Amino acid sequence: MSTIKLIPGVNSYIEAEKQKVVDKMQSGVKSKREGWRKELPSAGLGATVIETMKEEKAKDVVWQGKCSGTVYIAGSESEGHFSLINEACSMFAHTNPLHLDVFQSVARFEAEVVAMTAALLGNKEKASGGQVCGNMTSGGTESILLAVKSSRDYMKNKKGITRPEMIIPETAHSAYDKAAQYFNVKLWRVPVNKEFQADVKAIRRYINKNTILIVGSAPGFPHGIIDPIEELGELASSYGICLHVDLCLGGFVLPFARKLGYPIPPFDFSVQGVTSISVDVHKYGLAPKGTSVVLYRNHEIRKVIVEHVSNFWKTHQFVAVTEWSGGLYVSPTIAGSRPGGLIAGAWAAMMSLGQEGYLENTKAIMEVSKSIQKGIKEITELSIIGRPDMTIVAFGSDVLDIFEVNDIMSSKGWHLNALQKPNSIHICVTLQHVSVVDDFLQDLRESVQTVKANPGPISGGLAPIYGAAGKMPDRGMVSELLVNYMDSTC
């Protein structure tokens, strides 16, 4: 493709076509941006700014019960659990855990969130060693970034690896791509098996003297299927490398689903070989957005000793300890200053719900997931991807364009996730869906029949773009399209 682009006129034609796709993806965002403010008002709005914000908020689409994932808390945002975590965030909005000597309450909240999460994920089991440690982060991506960085540094210290590589299934989160770029780790994405799980034999073939890390998900974001964590643990142990488990979706569901008797395979620190775990509190933990936890099997993995000239600097994960003209500095995460209000909100969420609350919520969403799977199986034109283990249900079609079905569902107000490899869509079930499962299935049945009777893209739909993206031989062009789209939105 690079050679073809050198032909006179070809590159300009490709760029023009790419811009058409970007304009299509924006779907009117440019016109909305025309009225956006570009500088400070000459006179401040004072307290009336709240009214302005309410007016803008009223223009948001109706999301209650209509989104895949996105909002995990049930009910209205002005009452119940919403109200509780909002009050907790507000109470500590001015705090920053960087100042441990001042905001000791927030420091305690973070330590307890980490400890409670570790207890859920095997720290109390003898096999884990009982030394699990970690920190709160801004989200699943930062948790994964820190796990990759720590694994890289740990393996450099342990084995002297200076050209690190990691191996992940093609269903693993895109955050690993970001981590690979940030931390100069070569990334291998390996096809999954027929059950859409990590293919352990295929991963084994990619392991070499530079391998620092392999990855499993519980469950994977695309299809809601748990990778064979025990087998991956055995593989990691046999080669003396790290294994990270992405529990960003499953961390606050799987422990309780197991207690409720659902068939959940091993997934946490009770599995030998698991060295780190990422888990989002702001998903099924029902905490405010921007709260996740990264956990390490022990302090040795988290703590890396780096020799610098004649001094030894103890570093935690990213840039923990330095000496500069501003004094001694220590931070356990990528960010230095962090929002204490979000940490407090996460602590409030976990403490208010307790084990009984999470058990009740898990039962509700697992049963809704089963109902949706049953309903989809009754639609002959659709088929479920693999065997979902949790609350994500992905489905596709051999007789219809599934992205056209998604466009019709979008026109009915639903916001589902479009997937590729294979082309499909999914719904991530939350408490918001408990009362609307019948509406969802009815709209899905109608959408399938609409596409069946009138195949072809609808005006304003994104089916042609998703379909074309999946067929492009030049995968670099897909990346370029996404970068151009992002660059035009902010």
Side-chain angles (χ1 to χ4, degrees):
M1 289 301 296
S2 298
T3 304
I4 292 173
K5 288 178 183 179
L6 296 176
I7 301 173
V10 171
N11 192 57
S12 59
Y13 172 78
I14 290 175
E15 290 299 318
E17 291 301 307
K18 279 163 54 179
Q19 189 57 48
K20 289 180 184 178
V21 174
V22 170
D23 291 341
K24 177 80 170 176
M25 290 171 71
Q26 286 184 319
S27 301
V29 171
K30 278 187 177 180
S31 61
K32 295 177 184 177
R33 286 175 57 90
E34 290 176 0
W36 289 9
R37 184 174 294 278
K38 294 182 174 63
E39 58 184 0
L40 282 169
S42 55
L45 301 182
T48 62
V49 70
I50 299 298
E51 293 304 316
T52 302
M53 295 176 74
K54 288 179 179 178
E55 291 172 6
E56 291 299 319
K57 187 172 183 291
K59 299 174 186 177
D60 290 344
V61 300
V62 176
W63 52 263
Q64 289 82 354
K66 289 284 190 175
C67 296
S68 171
T70 312
V71 179
Y72 291 77
I73 302 170
S76 166
E77 57 191 307
S78 61
E79 59 187 20
H81 190 78
F82 273 113
S83 180
L84 182 144
I85 62 171
N86 287 343
E87 184 174 351
C89 289
S90 177
M91 190 185 307
F92 292 88
H94 61 288
T95 66
N96 180 355
L98 187 64
H99 303 283
L100 296 173
D101 56 330
V102 180
F103 304 116
Q104 298 175 30
S105 55
V106 172
R108 173 182 173 175
F109 293 156
E110 177 174 14
E112 292 190 355
V113 166
V114 170
M116 290 188 289
T117 304
L120 287 176
L121 301 178
N123 190 40
K124 296 191 296 183
E125 300 295 326
K126 185 177 180 180
S128 74
Q131 296 296 316
V132 176
C133 57
N135 295 94
M136 291 190 67
T137 70
S138 62
T141 293
E142 186 182 359
S143 292
I144 288 172
L145 288 176
L146 290 172
V148 172
K149 171 65 166 59
S150 293
S151 299
R152 186 198 72 174
D153 294 348
Y154 175 66
M155 294 303 293
K156 181 180 180 181
N157 187 58
K158 181 181 178 182
K159 288 188 172 183
I161 296 174
T162 57
R163 301 178 67 182
E165 301 181 11
M166 63 176 168
I167 308 163
I168 68 174
E170 63 182 2
T171 50
H173 197 275
S174 58
Y176 296 102
D177 295 87
K178 186 176 288 188
Q181 293 176 38
Y182 281 8
F183 305 132
N184 196 27
V185 177
K186 186 173 183 178
L187 178 68
W188 297 100
R189 274 194 179 270
V190 178
V192 292
N193 61 25
K194 293 180 181 179
E195 286 75 41
F196 296 93
Q197 293 177 305
D199 189 327
V200 179
K201 290 183 180 178
I203 289 174
R204 182 191 298 272
R205 288 194 291 271
Y206 278 81
I207 294 177
N208 59 48
K209 65 180 182 180
N210 291 320
T211 303
I212 61 164
L213 175 70
I214 60 176
V215 166
S217 302
F221 169 80
H223 314 119
I225 297 170
I226 298 174
D227 288 329
I229 305 302
E230 277 191 312
E231 293 180 47
L232 291 171
E234 292 173 3
L235 183 62
S237 296
S238 67
Y239 282 92
I241 58 179
C242 296
L243 166 61
H244 180 74
V245 179
D246 181 1
L247 271 161
C248 287
L249 274 167
F252 282 86
V253 174
L254 296 181
F256 301 105
R258 184 167 53 189
K259 282 189 175 183
L260 290 167
Y262 291 95
I264 305 297
F267 58 85
D268 57 19
F269 285 113
S270 64
V271 177
Q272 289 297 326
V274 174
T275 52
S276 57
I277 285 175
S278 51
V279 50
D280 285 355
V281 198
H282 65 207
K283 289 188 172 73
Y284 291 107
L286 307 190
K289 292 298 180 186
T291 52
S292 179
V293 173
V294 58
L295 297 171
Y296 304 91
R297 190 175 199 90
N298 54 51
H299 292 272
E300 182 185 0
I301 295 169
R302 181 172 73 164
K303 184 171 60 179
V304 182
I305 307 302
V306 180
E307 187 173 0
H308 180 67
V309 192
S310 60
N311 297 317
F312 288 90
W313 310 82
K314 287 187 177 181
T315 63
H316 296 261
Q317 300 147 24
F318 199 72
V319 180
V321 177
T322 60
E323 291 188 39
W324 62 308
S325 58
L328 297 176
Y329 176 85
V330 58
S331 173
T333 54
I334 291 176
S337 294
R338 291 182 292 147
L342 297 183
I343 292 172
W347 185 86
M350 294 176 70
M351 292 294 290
S352 67
L353 288 165
Q355 294 202 28
E356 290 183 1
Y358 285 119
L359 284 166
E360 181 180 340
N361 292 341
T362 298
K363 177 73 173 178
I365 56 177
M366 290 292 283
E367 290 306 305
V368 168
S369 176
K370 281 187 172 183
S371 297
I372 288 177
Q373 291 180 56
K374 180 176 182 294
I376 291 173
K377 287 177 181 177
E378 292 172 353
I379 303 174
T380 56
E381 294 84 358
L382 302 180
S383 58
I384 293 175
I385 307 298
R387 292 181 293 178
D389 289 304
M390 208 182 83
T391 53
I392 299 94
V393 184
F395 51 96
S397 177
D398 294 328
V399 295
L400 300 173
D401 186 330
I402 196 64
F403 297 136
E404 291 179 12
V405 174
N406 191 35
D407 281 344
I408 300 298
M409 288 293 283
S410 296
S411 72
K412 294 176 179 288
W414 295 95
H415 301 271
L416 307 180
N417 290 93
L419 313 171
Q420 57 179 358
K421 299 180 181 181
N423 288 353
S424 50
I425 56 181
H426 87 202
I427 180 169
C428 176
V429 175
T430 74
L431 292 171
Q432 287 280 331
H433 299 124
V434 173
S435 61
V436 299
V437 60
D438 291 336
D439 295 338
F440 170 78
L441 290 171
Q442 179 60 31
D443 284 348
L444 183 58
R445 285 189 287 267
E446 292 176 0
S447 297
V448 166
Q449 292 307 312
T450 298
V451 173
K452 188 175 181 180
N454 302 283
I458 64 172
S459 177
L462 296 177
I465 294 175
Y466 281 115
K471 297 175 183 176
M472 281 186 183
D474 181 10
R475 304 313 297 167
M477 192 177 295
V478 177
S479 298
E480 291 171 9
L481 283 172
L482 293 175
V483 170
N484 288 352
Y485 172 72
M486 179 196 68
D487 190 52
S488 62
T489 57
C490 56

